[in-house]
């Protein structure tokens, strides 16, 4: 299909495609869950969500620890979703509890897939959030989906294992794998690099302690990521994996300069060994060609606009 035909097809399929359908978002109260719910609601879906014990509940919200198999079964049984976006999981790469990373990201996902496969009403799409971290140290400037994954930290291994485990369910469920590169926005936990930098500038701090300074990442805006996920649900055939990224590298030093421009002052940077990661890829940039070929072009938000949004929030 040429570009115009693809765009016409895309807008036809995406014309309130959720009308009358039920969407289940795991990790509804997480950073991405909030934007995903907005995106799916605006497309006409009735949105259900799982939240962790202790998080705020509400109508159509189920308090479920994904590691609790029976609780997952009960929630899926009640929702009978048409589409599923699985976001719940440990997302912080430097999380100190490796056992929890594996348990939640693999066993938690398995519980969900098992429950969905046994549901009376079969979903038409199940999107699993994996990660660009599955690629590990890849010796190419831009990573596409054909690269052999070689993760080098527990987080990356857990997400790759999740992908392999999901294949065991591929004859029963229409599974789509999203491999997001870095993304950010209002509401992201300050453990992550960009909210940490923005919050320092917002508070007027004159210095900041960081870890590895010579890194560059492919940052997207969370709202763009939510839009891409929604389009994948509607347009992707099952069994495919997609990089979700902007294709642009932003260096940490460049980001500090951009923030100085937004805030109107410079900040002193010190390296604190506590934040230095022993294994860290210097540059992580993805190709979004495969994604765009299926969902059409999504206009990328310039990182400066996202940082300004976060600074002014
Ligand atoms: C694709 C992947 O993307 C994210 O993982 P991440 O890249 O680890 O994200 P981050 O914001 O923690 O680190 C970005 C870079 O910045 C470096 N860095 C330097 N100094 C500090 C520092 O002080 N804090 C932090 N957090 N990072 C620092 C750090 O070493 C790393 O190189 C998650 O969404 C994850 O779920 C995911 O899937």
């Amino acid at each position: 299909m040429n570009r115009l035909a693809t765009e016409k097809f895309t807008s036809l399929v995406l014309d309130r495609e959720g009308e009358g359908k039920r969407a289940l978002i795991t990790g509804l109260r997480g950073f991405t869950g909030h934007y995903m719910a907005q995106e799916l609601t605006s497309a006409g879906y009735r949105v259900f969500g799982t939240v962790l014990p202790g998080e705020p509940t509400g109508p159509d919200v189920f308090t479920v620890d994904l590691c609790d198999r029976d609780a997952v079964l009960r929630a899926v049984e009640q929702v009978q979703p048409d589409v599923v976006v699985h976001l719940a999981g440990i997302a912080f790469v430097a999380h100190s509890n490796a056992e929890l990373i594996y348990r939640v990201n693999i066993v938690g996902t398995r519980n969900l897939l098992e429950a969905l496969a046994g549901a009376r009403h079969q979903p038409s799409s199940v999107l699993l959030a994996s990660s660009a971290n599955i690629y590990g140290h890849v010796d190419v400037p831009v990573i596409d989906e054909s690269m052999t994954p070689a993760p080098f930290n527990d987080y990356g291994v857990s997400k790759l294992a999740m992908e392999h485990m999901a294949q065991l369910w591929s004859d029963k469920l229409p599974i789509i794998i999203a491999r997001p590169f870095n993304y950010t926005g209002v509401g992201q936990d300050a453990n992550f690099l960009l909210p940490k930098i923005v919050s320092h500038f917002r508070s007027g701090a004159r210095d900041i302690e960081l870890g590895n300074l010579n890194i560059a990442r492919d940052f997207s805006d969370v709202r763009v990521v939510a839009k891409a996920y929604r389009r994948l649900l509607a347009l992707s055939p099952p069994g495919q994996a997609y990089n979700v990224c902007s294709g642009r590298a932003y260096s940490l030093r460049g980001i500090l300069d951009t923030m100085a421009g937004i805030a109107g002052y410079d900040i002193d940077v010190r390296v604190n060994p506590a934040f230095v990661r022993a294994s860290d890829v210097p540059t992580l940039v993805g190709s979004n060609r495969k994604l765009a070929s299926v969902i059409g072009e999504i206009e990328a938000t310039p990182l400066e606009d996202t940082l300004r949004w976060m600074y002014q929030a």
Side-chain angles (χ1 to χ4, degrees):
M1 239 189 294
N2 66 29
R3 195 172 62 85
L4 266 180
T6 309
E7 274 167 18
K8 203 164 168 209
F9 174 72
T10 306
S11 65
L12 274 175
V13 174
L14 291 176
D15 190 15
R16 300 282 293 173
E17 82 275 11
E19 220 65 79
K21 293 190 189 153
R22 299 153 79 89
L24 174 64
I25 300 174
T26 68
L28 182 70
R29 301 282 185 238
F31 166 52
T32 316
H34 170 74
Y35 296 95
M36 200 66 237
Q38 282 182 349
E39 186 65 35
L40 292 177
T41 303
S42 74
Y45 289 93
R46 177 170 171 193
V47 172
F48 297 79
T50 71
V51 301
L52 275 175
E55 290 180 333
T57 60
D60 297 338
V61 173
F62 296 81
T63 301
V64 175
D65 179 342
L66 282 186
C67 295
D68 180 343
R69 190 164 163 259
D70 292 339
V72 177
L73 275 171
R74 279 196 301 274
V76 167
E77 181 59 29
Q78 286 187 62
V79 178
Q80 300 291 332
D82 294 293
V83 298
V84 179
V85 184
H86 176 42
L87 303 173
I90 305 280
F92 188 52
V93 172
H95 196 285
S96 56
N97 188 340
E99 189 190 333
L100 194 66
I101 293 178
Y102 287 112
R103 199 150 22 96
V104 175
N105 292 357
I106 305 172
V107 179
T109 304
R110 192 189 182 284
N111 288 341
L112 177 69
L113 296 181
E114 185 182 24
L116 291 169
R120 274 176 286 122
H121 175 73
Q122 286 295 288
S124 60
S125 285
V126 178
L127 183 141
L128 306 182
S130 178
S131 166
N133 257 247
I134 65 148
Y135 292 114
H137 288 283
V138 180
D139 204 11
V140 292
V142 177
I143 299 170
D144 68 32
E145 294 83 352
S146 70
M147 305 290 156
T148 305
F152 57 84
N153 53 38
D154 289 306
Y155 172 77
V157 173
S158 77
K159 288 292 187 179
L160 182 58
M162 180 197 81
E163 289 194 14
H164 286 310
M165 183 270 299
Q167 275 181 14
L168 302 177
W169 299 89
S170 59
D171 57 335
K172 299 191 180 68
L173 292 167
I175 295 173
I176 304 162
I177 303 282
R179 294 177 182 159
F181 285 60
N182 296 64
Y183 60 92
T184 193
V186 172
Q188 190 178 31
D189 192 280
N191 271 330
F192 292 90
L193 178 67
L194 295 196
K196 177 176 174 178
I197 292 174
V198 171
S199 74
H200 274 68
F201 276 99
R202 272 163 61 106
S203 70
R206 292 283 149 180
D207 49 38
I208 184 168
E209 293 185 344
L210 295 172
N212 310 26
L213 299 184
N214 294 317
I215 58 103
R217 290 287 181 273
D218 178 333
F219 281 103
S220 297
D221 187 296
V222 63
R223 295 165 294 187
V224 173
V225 171
K227 199 167 285 185
Y229 287 0
R230 171 190 155 196
R231 289 190 176 192
L232 280 175
L233 287 174
L235 298 167
S236 171
Q240 294 294 317
Y242 301 90
N243 289 346
V244 178
C245 54
S246 71
R248 290 195 53 187
Y250 297 93
S251 73
L252 173 45
R253 291 174 198 278
I255 289 166
L256 287 165
D257 287 346
T258 304
M259 270 315 301
I262 292 171
Y265 76 93
D266 278 318
I267 200 164
D268 286 333
V269 178
R270 279 198 309 274
V271 172
N272 180 338
F275 298 126
V276 174
R277 296 185 190 169
S279 51
D280 204 17
V281 267
T283 303
L284 193 61
V285 184
S287 161
N288 56 18
R289 278 185 62 182
K290 182 176 176 186
L291 179 73
S293 74
V294 170
I295 67 169
E297 296 287 342
I298 295 187
E299 206 181 322
T301 306
L303 183 58
E304 182 171 353
D305 292 359
T306 305
L307 290 171
R308 187 168 281 113
W309 170 50
M310 293 163 74
Y311 181 73
Q312 290 169 350

